[in-house]
Amino acid sequence: MQLVYQTNNLFDAHLVKHALEDAGIPAFVFGESLLGAGGELPLFGMLRVCVPDMAKPEADEIVAELALDAGPADPISDDDEAPGFLPA
């Protein structure tokens, strides 16, 4: 098994799993059962999506196309008014 995606977000892990399965690649989410023990375990990177060894190159392309980790580079613009200000 090869790791293709690691996250702490259950929704993203299953989104990746379903995208891979839609492409005909068997995918498995590991670490899901550990979420209930969050008080005693580190909470980052517990969820891992893995695929069979031979499917890794194609799976990496599919995961990259999803762009789950891509967020706005600058969520707060310099053009914004004072925080909390709504224009009339």
Side-chain angles (χ1 to χ4, degrees), residues 22-70:
D22 285 347
I25 300 171
F28 306 91
V29 176
F30 293 104
E32 190 171 359
S33 60
L34 298 174
L35 291 178
E40 298 179 20
L41 296 172
L43 294 176
F44 301 104
M46 287 191 345
L47 298 170
R48 298 172 324 279
V49 180
C50 297
V51 298
D53 296 341
M54 295 183 64
K56 184 167 175 32
E58 184 182 357
D60 285 337
E61 290 177 20
I62 292 169
V63 171
E65 288 175 9
L66 292 173
L68 292 174
D69 296 328

Side-chain angles (χ1 to χ4, degrees), residues 2-22:
Q2 294 289 316
L3 175 69
V4 292
Y5 188 72
Q6 187 170 357
T7 184
N8 60 349
N9 183 332
L10 184 60
F11 295 109
D12 286 351
H14 278 277
L15 181 68
V16 169
K17 178 183 186 285
H18 292 294
L20 292 169
E21 289 177 339
D22 285 347

